[in-house]
Amino acid sequence: RYFSSYPPHEVVGLPSLSPTMESGSISAWTKSKGDEFIAGDVFCQVETDKATVDFEAQDDGYIAKILVEDGAAEVPCGTPIMVTVENEEDIAAFDNFTVEEAEPAAASAAPTPPAPAAVAAPPAPAAAVPPATGTTSSTPAAGRIVASPLAHTLAKQKGFDISLIAGTGPRGRVIAADVNEYVPAAATVESVAAVPAAAQSHVATPGLPAPASIPAAVFGEGYSDYPISGVSLSATLAAAKQSIPHYYLSIDVTLDKLLSLRSSINASVSDDESSISLNDLLVKAAACAVRTVPSVNASWMDTFVRQYQNVDINVVMNTSEGLYQPCLPSVQTTGLASLSRTLRHLSENPTDPNHAKMGTLTVFNGGMYGMKSGAMIIRPPQSCALSLGVAERRVVPGEEKGSVKESLVMVATLSCDHRVVDGAVGAQWLQAFKGCVETPESLLL
């Protein structure tokens, strides 16, 4: 917030650095008054209810005033802790700035959280509606624009209305990166107008599977224009990558016993239609791991975390009509034979309504395409996504001391939303998944 008697500035409050954090202690400042900072620099170290976390800068500027000194304990989230400015010559104006002057800004900047709606026992969650990039306003109900001084300057230089720019900083604050990445609505309209009419009819139904026939390409001199499919998914993932605090965990998983179980099961069936694939077993193992660590089967709902009872898994598959993520409901109670038949049906029927449903976890078996490992973008409102790599032969320690053996090993990478699943819980889930795969008898229970 700007005060009329001061140059353009920003009063920075203590952010909430974990989902359960209500207050924190500033253990040490790494920047001092007058210091310049850039995006990614650490302002200070904050002791939260779980760990000591670095408070990093989102923009460039200078520290004009530190309002809370080292050692301050139990500082409530949102309490003003410093003042930043864009220009070095404005620092001196804040020598006598006080916390009392900042408190009205903090009070007006803290929105009243809505009362959470009554939580019913949810079925498979509805498909997420992709955010409308470029039309989300950064102006709160009170009409005040929450943006950094540098963001204000950049928006003015580029001729943008800053109230139309979606903020990705703390509490929805517009930062410089948001302004640099902003595409005005007029440019979006022009780009859509340039797409052939047939392509427009194809992309105008977000959330639904692609039709059976994809519009033909438009050929020019030295180039070919291909109509875009899956626009809804692309927009959702682009927004998710900017707004969800992703982190990634990987673990090596041995497949020998799982493949042995698969061979035993398939030896007892009479036809190929009833055979079980490795992918079927891995999807089932993911559901069994969720049953062991149910905290990952949840969604961030802004003011609360919703945990689901059923494990509904979106399985990424590439068909002749494009990339799809059909939903398998209640995988934790589905038998392997039924799971295999459902997956086979979905891969052969890209217009099945299940292609448009949203589950509680996404699994992508990149090993089917020779991918060694990968890290997926989380699809909201999910909080985790599992990526599986190709099975490779490796020399690993044997069962006897000092011995070695050759085994098939796969890399499993879990993408997590840190607001819902912290590092310890993510690691526990990966260990549970590893246990389900390496002790596959549990999949039959």
Side-chain angles (χ1 to χ4, degrees):
R1 181 178 178 178
Y2 294 173
F3 297 90
S4 58
S5 58
Y6 291 99
H9 64 281
E10 181 177 5
V11 178
V12 180
L14 180 68
S16 178
L17 300 174
S18 75
T20 59
M21 178 179 168
E22 297 181 355
S23 62
S25 303
I26 299 179
S27 58
W29 283 94
T30 58
K31 294 286 185 180
S32 304
K33 177 182 176 180
D35 286 354
E36 182 180 10
F37 60 86
I38 61 175
D41 283 355
V42 176
F43 285 130
C44 60
Q45 294 179 334
V46 180
E47 294 182 8
T48 72
D49 53 345
K50 293 184 178 180
T52 299
V53 185
D54 290 339
F55 176 20
E56 296 183 354
Q58 302 284 332
D59 263 331
D60 302 347
Y62 295 87
I63 294 181
K65 181 82 171 183
I66 291 179
L67 302 174
V68 178
E69 298 298 331
D70 290 355
E74 298 303 320
V75 179
C77 291
T79 300
I81 61 172
M82 65 177 171
V83 180
T84 63
V85 294
E86 181 185 346
N87 300 315
E88 187 175 10
E89 56 269 21
D90 295 334
I91 295 174
F94 294 87
D95 288 343
N96 298 320
F97 191 89
T98 62
V99 176
E100 287 70 23
E101 293 177 275
E103 283 177 350
S108 62
T112 303
V119 179
V129 179
T133 303
T135 60
T136 303
S137 173
S138 62
T139 307
R144 187 176 60 83
I145 298 172
V146 183
S148 70
L150 182 56
H152 275 286
T153 302
L154 288 175
K156 185 175 181 180
Q157 291 174 350
K158 294 175 180 286
F160 294 160
D161 181 353
I162 198 168
S163 67
L164 300 177
I165 301 176
T168 62
R171 299 181 183 273
R173 179 166 59 99
V174 179
I175 59 177
D178 299 327
V179 180
N180 289 329
E181 296 172 4
Y182 175 65
V183 178
T188 305
V189 172
E190 291 173 3
S191 64
V192 172
V195 178
Q200 291 183 26
S201 64
H202 168 59
V203 303
T205 53
L208 296 179
S213 58
I214 296 177
V218 177
F219 299 99
E221 185 175 351
Y223 65 89
S224 302
D225 293 337
Y226 294 91
I228 300 173
S229 62
V231 170
S232 172
L233 177 61
S234 300
T236 300
L237 294 180
K241 186 62 176 176
Q242 296 177 15
S243 61
I244 295 177
H246 286 68
Y247 73 93
Y248 311 96
L249 300 171
S250 296
I251 196 170
D252 288 340
V253 180
T254 303
L255 300 176
D256 296 342
K257 292 183 179 180
L258 189 68
L259 292 173
S260 178
L261 174 66
R262 174 177 176 266
S263 298
S264 299
I265 294 175
N266 289 341
S268 63
V269 300
S270 57
D271 58 274
D272 292 339
E273 291 294 322
S274 302
S275 62
I276 304 298
S277 70
L278 176 60
N279 192 54
D280 300 335
L281 292 167
L282 292 171
V283 171
K284 182 65 176 179
C288 290
V290 171
R291 189 168 55 186
T292 303
V293 187
S295 300
V296 304
N297 201 44
S299 296
W300 176 258
M301 307 299 289
D302 289 333
T303 58
F304 60 95
V305 173
R306 175 175 294 171
Q307 186 169 316
Y308 301 103
Q309 297 173 352
N310 287 332
V311 184
D312 305 327
I313 297 183
N314 291 104
V315 181
V316 181
M317 55 179 62
N318 189 23
T319 71
S320 58
E321 305 300 336
L323 185 69
Y324 296 98
Q325 301 186 46
C327 179
L328 301 174
S330 303
V331 181
Q332 81 281 6
T333 58
T334 304
L336 282 170
S338 176
L339 177 65
S340 180
R341 285 193 298 269
T342 303
L343 272 173
R344 190 177 296 111
H345 166 78
L346 291 172
S347 66
E348 296 170 354
N349 295 273
T351 57
D352 189 287
N354 283 305
H355 281 286
K357 293 181 179 179
M358 176 64 72
T360 59
L361 175 73
T362 296
V363 175
F364 172 47
N365 187 359
M368 300 170 64
Y369 309 100
M371 187 182 75
K372 185 172 182 178
S373 65
M376 293 186 64
I377 299 175
I378 300 169
R379 293 175 64 197
Q382 296 179 3
S383 60
C384 289
L386 178 66
S387 179
L388 305 172
V390 68
E392 298 179 316
R393 291 201 173 275
R394 298 187 196 173
V395 176
V396 298
E399 297 178 359
E400 298 180 4
K401 185 177 180 180
S403 64
V404 295
K405 64 178 182 178
E406 188 178 74
S407 292
L408 277 172
V409 179
M410 171 190 71
V411 177
T413 301
L414 185 67
S415 305
C416 302
D417 180 347
H418 208 297
R419 300 172 300 181
V420 181
V421 180
D422 62 28
V425 174
Q428 290 171 8
W429 189 90
L430 273 182
Q431 285 290 349
F433 176 73
K434 178 182 175 73
C436 292
V437 173
E438 297 183 352
T439 312
E441 293 81 7
S442 60
L443 304 182
L444 305 177
L445 300 178

